[in-house]
Amino acid sequence: HVKVSARDVELYNCYTNQVESSLEELEIDEEVPLDKALGNKHLNFRIVFNDKYKVEGGDAMFFVIHPLHELGEKYQRNLSVEPISLDSRIVSLAVNGEVPGKEQLFLNTLIKQYLDVSTASEHGMTLQTLKFIEDQLNSESDTLSEKMRAYLLDKRVETRMALASVVTDKTVVDKPYTAMGGEPVSPLPEVVYGLAIAAAFLSVILITVLKDVWRDTLITAEDVEATTKIPLIGTISHAKKREQNAIVAHARSAVGESFRSLRVNLQYLTLNANASVIGITSSRESEGKTFCSVNLAAVMAYSGRRTVLIDTDMRRPRVASYFQIENRKGLSNFLVGDGSIKEIINNTEHKGFDVIGSGPIPPNPIDLIGNPRMEELIQSLKQSYSTIIIDSPPLGYVSEYIILMKYTDANLYVVRSDYTNRKSLKRINKLLDREKIGNFSILLNDVQPSKESGNYYAYGYGYGYKY
């Protein structure tokens, strides 16, 4: 079933290689047996399938009739002519194509045409000689001596005999055949598979490189060190979902070991302090500031240091929820004069580990933090505790932490892997350059472990962990 539907059609004559006319519209819808030709006033052709092609019922196919000059250019590109050796007069012809039978037919026709042209060339030279003799005999017959005339008559006989036996000195050594036993020469399956694997490999590398170039988040310790002059004091391994709102400092896991290693590193920053005050902040929410504050306080207490954790984030307090304690009375109550220090301290299950919640959310947190009673609280707690951990509001939004820094011996800035952007560190870099902050260290939180040689490694300090 042959269908053609087109508008503004140019009628091309394949024999003259010219467009002879045009049609506004051409519609053909005919059923033609495979062994018959389709013939009408516009088209006349027959479709012949090669032996390897199987026609399935209902398959839709299309074909294009190319102009002769395009086909000629195509075969010129695909045809190669090379001598079989430097000293040989034998040349090898080869052509690449999709249909072996068609390409063999092309080579056979090309060789035949070449031989015919060569023969015609030899034939033409003999004809020119014969014509010259005939002209001499006809035009100068009265003045010839056939001694001259006899000579020309003999040459005419010889030339006519030569004309009858003209053959070219070119010959075909081998008839065209399909190379490689009929197997495809291109594309070779192994080459295609190799290129596909190489392309996939390069794509992964390219995507990884581009992702690394375009990403704006900090992922590794190297990223942090390349973005800020503030020292990196440690890294905290990724906590599983069940660990993210729990105390894991005592756990025998990567995240637990991370906090134990952090405790050791912090001791070097606070060696000269009888009672050290450690402030913990971050650039924004969801970076793990409170998680790190709670677990650092816990690991300090587990090491034998009497520790108190203060929740000074009176905008989004979260410390109380870790210990299932009520937050009805806390820091905000004390700062406004509603209660004593003893009344706002909550004991935890672990001896020597206490918590002060934020208390009711006040309308003016920053004014309360600057209240003189805040200094009174810190100085009083130093008499009873070896370590005071302050969970502070994010540094990026409000300025409470700048006020609290006058009480701290060490300050930790929590950065969450693959979440905190580089601009956050640039902001704190400016504060450092302006000398508005001091004694700061970066704590990289939530670093994903990598699997290597069957063992799990994580960024962090301690037993078997890389950093």
Side-chain angles (χ1 to χ4, degrees), residues 1-11 23-32 38-40 42-45 47 61-65:
H1 197 166
V2 179
K3 288 185 177 182
V4 178
S5 180
R7 294 183 180 277
D8 299 325
V9 180
E10 293 182 335
L11 294 180
L23 294 175
E24 291 183 0
E25 186 176 7
L26 176 63
E27 295 287 342
I28 299 176
D29 189 351
E30 297 183 24
E31 290 190 6
V32 184
L38 169 68
N40 59 37
H42 300 304
L43 289 174
N44 194 324
F45 63 90
I47 300 175
M61 296 166 286
F62 72 93
F63 60 90
V64 177
I65 300 176

Side-chain angles (χ1 to χ4, degrees), residues 58 70 95 161 182 243 309 331 356 378 383 387 399 433:
E70 288 186 7
V95 66
M161 290 178 63
E243 298 174 321
L309 170 63
L331 179 63
I356 297 177
I378 297 296
Q383 305 303 315
T387 303
S399 56
D433 293 338

Side-chain angles (χ1 to χ4, degrees), residues 73-84:
E73 291 172 358
K74 174 186 175 183
Y75 274 105
Q76 272 190 321
R77 291 192 300 269
N78 293 340
L79 178 67
S80 65
V81 182
E82 297 178 352
I84 61 174

Side-chain angles (χ1 to χ4, degrees), residues 362-376:
N364 55 343
I366 190 168
D367 294 335
L368 287 184
I369 291 297
N371 191 306
R373 287 178 66 86
M374 187 69 200
E375 183 174 1
E376 177 187 338

